mmCIF file of all heavy atoms in Angstrom:
data_model
loop_
_atom_site.group_PDB
_atom_site.id
_atom_site.type_symbol
_atom_site.label_atom_id
_atom_site.label_comp_id
_atom_site.label_asym_id
_atom_site.label_seq_id
_atom_site.Cartn_x
_atom_site.Cartn_y
_atom_site.Cartn_z
ATOM 1 N N LYS A 1 0.834 -1.196 0.000
ATOM 2 C CA LYS A 1 0.000 0.000 0.000
ATOM 3 C C LYS A 1 0.876 1.256 0.000
ATOM 4 O O LYS A 1 1.996 1.241 0.508
ATOM 5 C CB LYS A 1 -0.916 0.007 1.221
ATOM 6 C CG LYS A 1 -2.004 -1.061 1.187
ATOM 7 C CD LYS A 1 -2.890 -0.956 2.420
ATOM 8 C CE LYS A 1 -3.994 -2.006 2.378
ATOM 9 N NZ LYS A 1 -4.867 -1.937 3.588
ATOM 10 N N PRO A 2 0.362 2.363 -0.558
ATOM 11 C CA PRO A 2 1.134 3.617 -0.538
ATOM 12 C C PRO A 2 1.441 4.064 0.883
ATOM 13 O O PRO A 2 0.713 3.729 1.827
ATOM 14 C CB PRO A 2 0.193 4.615 -1.237
ATOM 15 C CG PRO A 2 -0.746 3.777 -2.030
ATOM 16 C CD PRO A 2 -0.917 2.502 -1.263
ATOM 17 N N HIS A 3 2.489 4.850 1.023
ATOM 18 C CA HIS A 3 2.906 5.348 2.331
ATOM 19 C C HIS A 3 1.891 6.377 2.823
ATOM 20 O O HIS A 3 1.745 7.455 2.240
ATOM 21 C CB HIS A 3 4.292 5.980 2.219
ATOM 22 C CG HIS A 3 4.916 6.295 3.528
ATOM 23 N ND1 HIS A 3 5.683 7.429 3.741
ATOM 24 C CD2 HIS A 3 4.898 5.640 4.716
ATOM 25 C CE1 HIS A 3 6.116 7.441 4.982
ATOM 26 N NE2 HIS A 3 5.647 6.372 5.602
ATOM 27 N N SER A 4 1.210 6.063 3.923
ATOM 28 C CA SER A 4 0.082 6.882 4.378
ATOM 29 C C SER A 4 0.459 7.886 5.462
ATOM 30 O O SER A 4 -0.405 8.432 6.138
ATOM 31 C CB SER A 4 -1.039 5.977 4.900
ATOM 32 O OG SER A 4 -0.584 5.189 5.990
ATOM 33 N N GLY A 5 1.759 8.129 5.625
ATOM 34 C CA GLY A 5 2.214 9.095 6.628
ATOM 35 C C GLY A 5 3.491 9.765 6.185
ATOM 36 O O GLY A 5 3.906 9.671 5.016
ATOM 37 N N LEU A 6 4.108 10.440 7.127
ATOM 38 C CA LEU A 6 5.365 11.152 6.892
ATOM 39 C C LEU A 6 6.392 10.581 7.847
ATOM 40 O O LEU A 6 6.162 10.521 9.048
ATOM 41 C CB LEU A 6 5.154 12.644 7.168
ATOM 42 C CG LEU A 6 6.283 13.611 6.830
ATOM 43 C CD1 LEU A 6 6.414 13.766 5.318
ATOM 44 C CD2 LEU A 6 6.018 14.965 7.469
ATOM 45 N N ASP A 7 7.534 10.126 7.323
ATOM 46 C CA ASP A 7 8.607 9.602 8.157
ATOM 47 C C ASP A 7 9.615 10.698 8.456
ATOM 48 O O ASP A 7 10.132 11.359 7.542
ATOM 49 C CB ASP A 7 9.318 8.437 7.470
ATOM 50 C CG ASP A 7 8.495 7.154 7.491
ATOM 51 O OD1 ASP A 7 7.409 7.156 8.101
ATOM 52 O OD2 ASP A 7 8.937 6.166 6.883
ATOM 53 N N LEU A 8 9.901 10.877 9.752
ATOM 54 C CA LEU A 8 10.885 11.860 10.197
ATOM 55 C C LEU A 8 12.050 11.123 10.842
ATOM 56 O O LEU A 8 11.857 10.369 11.800
ATOM 57 C CB LEU A 8 10.255 12.834 11.191
ATOM 58 C CG LEU A 8 9.107 13.677 10.634
ATOM 59 C CD1 LEU A 8 8.381 14.411 11.761
ATOM 60 C CD2 LEU A 8 9.616 14.670 9.598
ATOM 61 N N ALA A 9 13.245 11.328 10.317
ATOM 62 C CA ALA A 9 14.432 10.648 10.833
ATOM 63 C C ALA A 9 14.951 11.369 12.066
ATOM 64 O O ALA A 9 15.060 12.592 12.087
ATOM 65 C CB ALA A 9 15.514 10.590 9.764
ATOM 66 N N ALA A 10 15.262 10.588 13.097
ATOM 67 C CA ALA A 10 15.835 11.149 14.331
ATOM 68 C C ALA A 10 16.457 10.003 15.111
ATOM 69 O O ALA A 10 16.041 8.844 14.986
ATOM 70 C CB ALA A 10 14.763 11.841 15.166
ATOM 71 N N PRO A 11 17.454 10.282 15.934
ATOM 72 C CA PRO A 11 18.087 9.223 16.727
ATOM 73 C C PRO A 11 17.099 8.580 17.699
ATOM 74 O O PRO A 11 16.159 9.232 18.174
ATOM 75 C CB PRO A 11 19.196 9.965 17.482
ATOM 76 C CG PRO A 11 19.441 11.207 16.705
ATOM 77 C CD PRO A 11 18.116 11.582 16.121
ATOM 78 N N GLU A 12 17.345 7.323 17.991
ATOM 79 C CA GLU A 12 16.506 6.614 18.960
ATOM 80 C C GLU A 12 16.550 7.340 20.304
ATOM 81 O O GLU A 12 17.600 7.770 20.764
ATOM 82 C CB GLU A 12 17.001 5.172 19.122
ATOM 83 C CG GLU A 12 16.086 4.302 19.941
ATOM 84 C CD GLU A 12 16.450 2.824 19.837
ATOM 85 O OE1 GLU A 12 17.483 2.505 19.206
ATOM 86 O OE2 GLU A 12 15.697 2.003 20.377
ATOM 87 N N GLY A 13 15.377 7.501 20.900
ATOM 88 C CA GLY A 13 15.274 8.192 22.179
ATOM 89 C C GLY A 13 14.919 9.662 22.061
ATOM 90 O O GLY A 13 14.645 10.317 23.078
ATOM 91 N N THR A 14 14.914 10.204 20.842
ATOM 92 C CA THR A 14 14.530 11.609 20.651
ATOM 93 C C THR A 14 13.083 11.811 21.096
ATOM 94 O O THR A 14 12.202 11.048 20.691
ATOM 95 C CB THR A 14 14.664 12.012 19.168
ATOM 96 O OG1 THR A 14 16.013 11.816 18.744
ATOM 97 C CG2 THR A 14 14.266 13.464 18.964
ATOM 98 N N PRO A 15 12.789 12.814 21.913
ATOM 99 C CA PRO A 15 11.414 13.022 22.371
ATOM 100 C C PRO A 15 10.461 13.326 21.219
ATOM 101 O O PRO A 15 10.815 14.028 20.268
ATOM 102 C CB PRO A 15 11.525 14.230 23.310
ATOM 103 C CG PRO A 15 12.955 14.271 23.719
ATOM 104 C CD PRO A 15 13.728 13.763 22.542
ATOM 105 N N ILE A 16 9.249 12.778 21.310
ATOM 106 C CA ILE A 16 8.170 13.064 20.361
ATOM 107 C C ILE A 16 7.155 13.940 21.086
ATOM 108 O O ILE A 16 6.705 13.592 22.183
ATOM 109 C CB ILE A 16 7.495 11.764 19.878
ATOM 110 C CG1 ILE A 16 8.512 10.856 19.186
ATOM 111 C CG2 ILE A 16 6.333 12.079 18.938
ATOM 112 C CD1 ILE A 16 7.998 9.455 18.937
ATOM 113 N N ARG A 17 6.806 15.068 20.482
ATOM 114 C CA ARG A 17 5.915 16.024 21.128
ATOM 115 C C ARG A 17 4.588 16.135 20.381
ATOM 116 O O ARG A 17 4.564 16.078 19.147
ATOM 117 C CB ARG A 17 6.583 17.402 21.209
ATOM 118 C CG ARG A 17 7.885 17.380 22.016
ATOM 119 C CD ARG A 17 8.559 18.748 22.055
ATOM 120 N NE ARG A 17 9.846 18.681 22.751
ATOM 121 C CZ ARG A 17 9.986 18.770 24.065
ATOM 122 N NH1 ARG A 17 8.912 18.941 24.836
ATOM 123 N NH2 ARG A 17 11.176 18.696 24.629
ATOM 124 N N ALA A 18 3.506 16.320 21.125
ATOM 125 C CA ALA A 18 2.195 16.501 20.513
ATOM 126 C C ALA A 18 2.210 17.751 19.641
ATOM 127 O O ALA A 18 2.589 18.823 20.094
ATOM 128 C CB ALA A 18 1.121 16.623 21.588
ATOM 129 N N PRO A 19 1.812 17.633 18.364
ATOM 130 C CA PRO A 19 1.853 18.790 17.465
ATOM 131 C C PRO A 19 0.717 19.773 17.708
ATOM 132 O O PRO A 19 0.758 20.910 17.244
ATOM 133 C CB PRO A 19 1.733 18.155 16.084
ATOM 134 C CG PRO A 19 0.930 16.916 16.334
ATOM 135 C CD PRO A 19 1.364 16.419 17.684
ATOM 136 N N ALA A 20 -0.316 19.329 18.443
ATOM 137 C CA ALA A 20 -1.456 20.166 18.825
ATOM 138 C C ALA A 20 -2.142 19.464 19.989
ATOM 139 O O ALA A 20 -1.865 18.296 20.288
ATOM 140 C CB ALA A 20 -2.420 20.354 17.654
ATOM 141 N N GLY A 21 -3.039 20.162 20.662
ATOM 142 C CA GLY A 21 -3.723 19.569 21.799
ATOM 143 C C GLY A 21 -4.728 18.507 21.388
ATOM 144 O O GLY A 21 -5.195 18.455 20.240
ATOM 145 N N GLY A 22 -5.046 17.628 22.340
ATOM 146 C CA GLY A 22 -6.029 16.578 22.079
ATOM 147 C C GLY A 22 -6.064 15.580 23.215
ATOM 148 O O GLY A 22 -5.546 15.841 24.311
ATOM 149 N N TYR A 23 -6.659 14.443 22.958
ATOM 150 C CA TYR A 23 -6.763 13.362 23.936
ATOM 151 C C TYR A 23 -6.151 12.093 23.355
ATOM 152 O O TYR A 23 -6.331 11.798 22.165
ATOM 153 C CB TYR A 23 -8.219 13.101 24.320
ATOM 154 C CG TYR A 23 -8.815 14.164 25.203
ATOM 155 C CD1 TYR A 23 -9.308 15.345 24.667
ATOM 156 C CD2 TYR A 23 -8.871 14.001 26.588
ATOM 157 C CE1 TYR A 23 -9.849 16.332 25.482
ATOM 158 C CE2 TYR A 23 -9.411 14.981 27.410
ATOM 159 C CZ TYR A 23 -9.896 16.137 26.849
ATOM 160 O OH TYR A 23 -10.431 17.118 27.659
ATOM 161 N N ILE A 24 -5.446 11.339 24.177
ATOM 162 C CA ILE A 24 -4.899 10.054 23.747
ATOM 163 C C ILE A 24 -6.067 9.077 23.641
ATOM 164 O O ILE A 24 -6.694 8.731 24.637
ATOM 165 C CB ILE A 24 -3.852 9.525 24.745
ATOM 166 C CG1 ILE A 24 -2.750 10.569 24.981
ATOM 167 C CG2 ILE A 24 -3.269 8.206 24.247
ATOM 168 C CD1 ILE A 24 -1.999 10.982 23.744
ATOM 169 N N SER A 25 -6.373 8.672 22.415
ATOM 170 C CA SER A 25 -7.511 7.765 22.217
ATOM 171 C C SER A 25 -7.109 6.308 22.355
ATOM 172 O O SER A 25 -7.922 5.463 22.743
ATOM 173 C CB SER A 25 -8.161 8.004 20.851
ATOM 174 O OG SER A 25 -7.214 7.860 19.815
ATOM 175 N N ASP A 26 -5.833 5.992 22.067
ATOM 176 C CA ASP A 26 -5.375 4.606 22.213
ATOM 177 C C ASP A 26 -3.860 4.563 22.088
ATOM 178 O O ASP A 26 -3.227 5.482 21.565
ATOM 179 C CB ASP A 26 -6.012 3.710 21.143
ATOM 180 C CG ASP A 26 -6.062 2.244 21.559
ATOM 181 O OD1 ASP A 26 -5.602 1.925 22.689
ATOM 182 O OD2 ASP A 26 -6.572 1.416 20.783
ATOM 183 N N THR A 27 -3.291 3.469 22.593
ATOM 184 C CA THR A 27 -1.875 3.156 22.413
ATOM 185 C C THR A 27 -1.773 1.660 22.179
ATOM 186 O O THR A 27 -2.704 0.911 22.470
ATOM 187 C CB THR A 27 -1.027 3.536 23.650
ATOM 188 O OG1 THR A 27 -1.436 2.718 24.755
ATOM 189 C CG2 THR A 27 -1.201 5.006 24.013
ATOM 190 N N GLY A 28 -0.648 1.205 21.653
ATOM 191 C CA GLY A 28 -0.489 -0.229 21.450
ATOM 192 C C GLY A 28 0.881 -0.575 20.924
ATOM 193 O O GLY A 28 1.667 0.295 20.531
ATOM 194 N N ASP A 29 1.177 -1.877 20.920
ATOM 195 C CA ASP A 29 2.415 -2.408 20.342
ATOM 196 C C ASP A 29 1.989 -3.332 19.221
ATOM 197 O O ASP A 29 1.489 -4.432 19.467
ATOM 198 C CB ASP A 29 3.219 -3.154 21.406
ATOM 199 C CG ASP A 29 4.506 -3.750 20.844
ATOM 200 O OD1 ASP A 29 4.852 -3.438 19.682
ATOM 201 O OD2 ASP A 29 5.155 -4.541 21.558
ATOM 202 N N TYR A 30 2.172 -2.883 17.970
ATOM 203 C CA TYR A 30 1.631 -3.583 16.811
ATOM 204 C C TYR A 30 2.728 -4.234 15.967
ATOM 205 O O TYR A 30 3.871 -3.784 15.956
ATOM 206 C CB TYR A 30 0.825 -2.599 15.951
ATOM 207 C CG TYR A 30 -0.302 -1.925 16.704
ATOM 208 C CD1 TYR A 30 -0.416 -0.542 16.733
ATOM 209 C CD2 TYR A 30 -1.243 -2.671 17.402
ATOM 210 C CE1 TYR A 30 -1.450 0.079 17.419
ATOM 211 C CE2 TYR A 30 -2.276 -2.066 18.091
ATOM 212 C CZ TYR A 30 -2.369 -0.697 18.103
ATOM 213 O OH TYR A 30 -3.387 -0.073 18.782
ATOM 214 N N PHE A 31 2.341 -5.271 15.248
ATOM 215 C CA PHE A 31 3.279 -6.074 14.464
ATOM 216 C C PHE A 31 4.065 -5.215 13.473
ATOM 217 O O PHE A 31 5.296 -5.279 13.415
ATOM 218 C CB PHE A 31 2.524 -7.170 13.719
ATOM 219 C CG PHE A 31 3.414 -8.145 12.982
ATOM 220 C CD1 PHE A 31 4.008 -9.215 13.641
ATOM 221 C CD2 PHE A 31 3.654 -7.988 11.616
ATOM 222 C CE1 PHE A 31 4.827 -10.111 12.955
ATOM 223 C CE2 PHE A 31 4.469 -8.877 10.929
ATOM 224 C CZ PHE A 31 5.056 -9.939 11.601
ATOM 225 N N PHE A 32 3.369 -4.423 12.675
ATOM 226 C CA PHE A 32 4.032 -3.585 11.671
ATOM 227 C C PHE A 32 4.431 -2.220 12.229
ATOM 228 O O PHE A 32 5.507 -1.712 11.932
ATOM 229 C CB PHE A 32 3.126 -3.381 10.451
ATOM 230 C CG PHE A 32 2.939 -4.609 9.606
ATOM 231 C CD1 PHE A 32 1.664 -5.078 9.327
ATOM 232 C CD2 PHE A 32 4.022 -5.305 9.097
ATOM 233 C CE1 PHE A 32 1.476 -6.205 8.552
ATOM 234 C CE2 PHE A 32 3.856 -6.439 8.319
ATOM 235 C CZ PHE A 32 2.574 -6.892 8.042
ATOM 236 N N ASN A 33 3.555 -1.604 13.026
ATOM 237 C CA ASN A 33 3.761 -0.221 13.458
ATOM 238 C C ASN A 33 4.573 -0.088 14.738
ATOM 239 O O ASN A 33 4.971 1.026 15.099
ATOM 240 C CB ASN A 33 2.412 0.465 13.671
ATOM 241 C CG ASN A 33 1.628 0.578 12.383
ATOM 242 O OD1 ASN A 33 2.187 0.526 11.292
ATOM 243 N ND2 ASN A 33 0.324 0.724 12.502
ATOM 244 N N GLY A 34 4.834 -1.183 15.424
ATOM 245 C CA GLY A 34 5.570 -1.108 16.678
ATOM 246 C C GLY A 34 4.782 -0.342 17.732
ATOM 247 O O GLY A 34 3.540 -0.281 17.699
ATOM 248 N N ASN A 35 5.485 0.262 18.683
ATOM 249 C CA ASN A 35 4.816 1.052 19.724
ATOM 250 C C ASN A 35 4.161 2.281 19.089
ATOM 251 O O ASN A 35 4.825 3.061 18.400
ATOM 252 C CB ASN A 35 5.826 1.493 20.780
ATOM 253 C CG ASN A 35 6.346 0.312 21.583
ATOM 254 O OD1 ASN A 35 5.618 -0.626 21.879
ATOM 255 N ND2 ASN A 35 7.623 0.360 21.944
ATOM 256 N N THR A 36 2.871 2.440 19.356
ATOM 257 C CA THR A 36 2.063 3.428 18.624
ATOM 258 C C THR A 36 1.170 4.214 19.574
ATOM 259 O O THR A 36 0.655 3.674 20.555
ATOM 260 C CB THR A 36 1.199 2.712 17.568
ATOM 261 O OG1 THR A 36 2.060 2.031 16.648
ATOM 262 C CG2 THR A 36 0.316 3.682 16.809
ATOM 263 N N VAL A 37 0.968 5.499 19.238
ATOM 264 C CA VAL A 37 0.074 6.385 19.987
ATOM 265 C C VAL A 37 -0.873 7.067 19.011
ATOM 266 O O VAL A 37 -0.472 7.455 17.906
ATOM 267 C CB VAL A 37 0.873 7.453 20.773
ATOM 268 C CG1 VAL A 37 -0.051 8.547 21.311
ATOM 269 C CG2 VAL A 37 1.646 6.817 21.915
ATOM 270 N N PHE A 38 -2.140 7.231 19.416
ATOM 271 C CA PHE A 38 -3.130 7.975 18.639
ATOM 272 C C PHE A 38 -3.587 9.176 19.458
ATOM 273 O O PHE A 38 -3.925 9.041 20.632
ATOM 274 C CB PHE A 38 -4.353 7.111 18.317
ATOM 275 C CG PHE A 38 -4.049 5.884 17.515
ATOM 276 C CD1 PHE A 38 -3.730 4.686 18.145
ATOM 277 C CD2 PHE A 38 -4.089 5.911 16.134
ATOM 278 C CE1 PHE A 38 -3.457 3.549 17.420
ATOM 279 C CE2 PHE A 38 -3.810 4.768 15.391
ATOM 280 C CZ PHE A 38 -3.497 3.591 16.036
ATOM 281 N N ILE A 39 -3.601 10.354 18.840
ATOM 282 C CA ILE A 39 -4.152 11.553 19.474
ATOM 283 C C ILE A 39 -5.403 11.974 18.709
ATOM 284 O O ILE A 39 -5.350 12.196 17.493
ATOM 285 C CB ILE A 39 -3.156 12.726 19.493
ATOM 286 C CG1 ILE A 39 -1.865 12.342 20.219
ATOM 287 C CG2 ILE A 39 -3.796 13.948 20.171
ATOM 288 C CD1 ILE A 39 -0.829 13.456 20.251
#
């Protein structure tokens, strides 16, 4: 399938910050996506 997001390169451990306010609707550890967060 086509790439449905944007990949940003950064060293492991670099903090990820919320780009805007919201609520965490879910988190998980998935086969393809690995550790994942939804806002």
Side-chain angles (χ1 to χ4, degrees):
K1 291 182 179 179
H3 191 217
S4 60
L6 187 72
D7 285 356
L8 298 169
E12 189 168 6
T14 301
I16 300 168
R17 300 178 184 275
Y23 287 82
I24 305 301
S25 57
D26 204 0
T27 65
D29 179 9
Y30 302 126
F31 186 82
F32 289 125
N33 296 338
N35 292 324
T36 300
V37 168
F38 300 90
I39 302 179

